[in-house]
Amino acid sequence: MPLLKDGAVQPDPWTYLAEDEYPAVGQPVIIDYDRWRGGDAAIAAHNGPLGIRLRSDQPPDLIEDDLGRFDVIALEFPVITDGRPFSHARIFRDRFGFPAAVRPVVGLPAGLDQTLHRPVPCVLSRPVATRMPAADRAETRGWVWASSRSLSPW
């Protein structure tokens, strides 16, 4: 999926793996929490960068003991008004000391992608917007969005 970073379209090095997909050797992948907890042998044996994707109703405590295994944490914002992932990001940074990327996954209403380029202090790094199920969003554009600056869409 394309990544809109600092106003330019770039490839996103991370691949979100669906339940029935398996990583290639060394491939940077993001899996959901349920797959991680399911003890998937292919994921346990994966030798490349690994990330985890958490829904807003899955608290950070669920993966506290496993944080050393992850290179990125992707936090889903089911709707733009759900602020729980911001609180979760703060916990990962301040309480758990997670040093790697914490990226939000957000369904963006049309036209909001350019609005997000204003600098605002934020605990999230490299925000990501992606397609979400129609039931969870209003009209959405198919961009994955990120910035090298710390930004917040609010």
Side-chain angles (χ1 to χ4, degrees), residues 5 17 19 28-29 37 40 44 47 58 65 67 70-71 83 97 99 101 108 110 122 133:
K5 182 175 180 181
L17 290 185
E19 195 66 34
V29 297
R37 276 297 155 220
D40 188 322
N47 65 348
Q58 295 173 318
D65 295 336
L67 282 178
F70 302 120
D71 299 293
L108 291 180
C122 181

Side-chain angles (χ1 to χ4, degrees), residues 1 11-16 27-30 49-51 70-72 101 103:
M1 185 173 291
D12 185 354
W14 292 91
T15 301
Y16 176 72
Q27 178 186 18
V29 297
I30 297 174
L50 182 64
F70 302 120
D71 299 293
V72 65
R103 12 188 310 177

Side-chain angles (χ1 to χ4, degrees), residues 123-137:
V123 296
L124 297 167
S125 56
R126 299 193 178 198
V128 175
T130 186
R131 289 188 180 136
M132 298 186 80
D136 294 341
R137 61 162 170 78

Side-chain angles (χ1 to χ4, degrees), residues 69-80:
R69 181 65 175 96
F70 302 120
D71 299 293
V72 65
I73 297 172
L75 302 174
E76 287 185 19
F77 283 75
V79 293
I80 203 161

Side-chain angles (χ1 to χ4, degrees), residues 41-76:
I43 298 302
H46 180 59
N47 65 348
L50 182 64
I52 191 161
R53 185 169 172 165
L54 299 174
R55 295 186 318 263
S56 63
D57 64 342
Q58 295 173 318
D61 299 347
L62 293 175
I63 62 168
E64 180 181 8
D65 295 336
D66 301 323
L67 282 178
R69 181 65 175 96
F70 302 120
D71 299 293
V72 65
I73 297 172
L75 302 174
E76 287 185 19

